[in-house]
Structure formats: structure tokens, C-alpha cells
Amino acid sequence: AGAGEGAKSPAPADKEHRSCAAVAPWIHVDLGYSFLYRKPVVDLLAAKIPRSLELGIAAFLVQAGLGIGLGLLAASRRGTRWDEATLGATALGMSAPVFLIGLLLQYLLAYRLRLLPYDGYGKTTGEQLRSLVLPAITLGVLGIALYARLTRDAVTNALGQDHARTARAKGSSRLRVLFDGVSEVVQRYQ
């Protein structure tokens, strides 16, 4: 078949194209052959990409959930020891290398507390989810610190506006004013 006739991907048995991946019918990417695993690199990547995507999504969810939650908590308790502890922890989370955080979390959560597995992926869905927690937290620490700082600063700024102080003075609950401040921040960044 010619290029104008919608050429199809070559069969995997075709020795010339065994290590190719078809991005589109007319685009082939040749990543070569792994001498270590004795397989085409495309096959190795195809086997690893789903787990990598799972880990990336889990790390993002950890970053967003814990980071925004800690930021809201710190903003609602501005000037207290909780706020200072959050700021200190975020400074540590932003400056510590990920490999060190990973080793410390593995020592604490897997070895000492025996809450999570050291390594492996597990066979059942529950085991797989448990094995995903430690790497997701490790990869998410920097993002948690960043989201917490950004959320705290943005909500603190919103709560410092005149309308927020006026609402509080007129008797609005602290939670209502915090919710309005968060809504303002969300609307600003949409």
C-alpha cells in the first residue's frame, strides 16, 4: 500500500519493523531493541506505562488533596503554632531531596510502623493500592508543600480584604468567611 492509500502498521513479525511503534498510520517510531531484556523497547514501554500513569495520577491527587487541605488549615489558623508548623514543614518539603524523603518514609511507614509494603506491586487490587501509597506520597511531597504555600497565601490575602473583614464584623461565621475567601481565590484563577 502506498502512502496515499492509508498504509497500515507492519506486522510485528516483520524483522525490519519489530521494534517500531505506530504513532499514526504514516508515522513510525523506532526505539530500538534492548540487549539487556532482549525485547523491543516499544514492548517494554507498553508494559510499564500503565503503572507509571497510575503513580502519576495518585501523586497528583495526594499533592492537591493534602496541599490544598493543609493550606486552608494554615490560612484559617493564621499566626498560630499550627500555621508556623505548616510553614516549617512546607519549607522542609520544598528543600529536602526526594530520594531522602523516600528513604525516610519507607523507614517510618514500612519498617517501623509496618503500615505499607517496602516494595513490589501486589497481586490483588487492595495490595496494589497499598503499594501505590508510599511512592505517591514520596513523589507528592514537593507538590504538597507548594500547594499548601500557594493556598495559604492566596486565602490569607483574600481573608485580609475589606469585604471579608466587614462580613466577619457583621457576624458571619469564620467558616463562612473562609469559604467565601476560597471561592474568591478559585474564581480568580479560573
Side-chain angles (χ1 to χ4, degrees):
E5 299 173 21
K8 295 184 178 180
S9 298
D14 183 3
K15 288 191 182 249
E16 186 177 323
H17 293 94
R18 195 176 332 171
S19 63
C20 292
V23 177
W26 59 90
I27 299 175
H28 293 269
V29 178
D30 187 358
L31 299 176
Y33 194 81
S34 169
F35 291 104
L36 180 64
Y37 293 103
R38 300 182 189 273
K39 292 182 179 178
V41 173
V42 171
D43 294 344
L44 295 172
L45 287 175
K48 302 295 183 189
I49 284 177
R51 288 185 185 170
S52 296
L53 285 175
E54 282 177 4
L55 179 57
I57 291 168
F60 172 74
L61 292 175
V62 165
Q63 288 175 12
L66 291 178
I68 292 171
L70 284 173
L72 288 174
L73 204 54
S76 69
R77 304 191 189 299
R78 188 178 34 164
T80 64
R81 288 190 181 192
W82 178 258
D83 183 31
E84 291 173 6
T86 301
L87 290 175
T90 57
L92 185 63
M94 292 172 103
S95 59
V98 176
F99 71 88
L100 180 62
I101 292 170
L103 289 173
L104 291 174
L105 286 174
Q106 189 177 32
Y107 175 75
L108 179 68
L109 297 175
Y111 178 71
R112 281 299 216 186
L113 300 176
R114 300 201 188 281
L115 296 174
L116 300 170
Y118 287 107
D119 58 6
Y121 191 63
K123 293 185 170 83
T124 66
T125 304
E127 289 175 349
Q128 291 171 355
L129 289 174
R130 282 188 70 222
S131 68
L132 197 60
V133 172
L134 188 60
I137 292 172
T138 302
L139 290 176
V141 166
L142 176 63
I144 291 169
L146 184 64
Y147 279 123
R149 285 270 175 130
L150 291 174
T151 303
R152 178 198 175 272
D153 291 343
V155 172
T156 300
N157 185 30
L159 293 176
Q161 300 293 323
D162 290 339
H163 61 86
R165 288 194 305 264
T166 303
R168 189 76 172 113
K170 286 185 174 184
S172 291
S173 71
R174 187 173 160 186
L175 187 62
R176 176 68 186 177
V177 174
L178 180 65
F179 179 75
D180 289 344
V182 170
S183 298
E184 181 183 323
V185 170
V186 168
Q187 288 173 358
R188 187 180 327 144
Y189 291 108
Q190 283 184 346

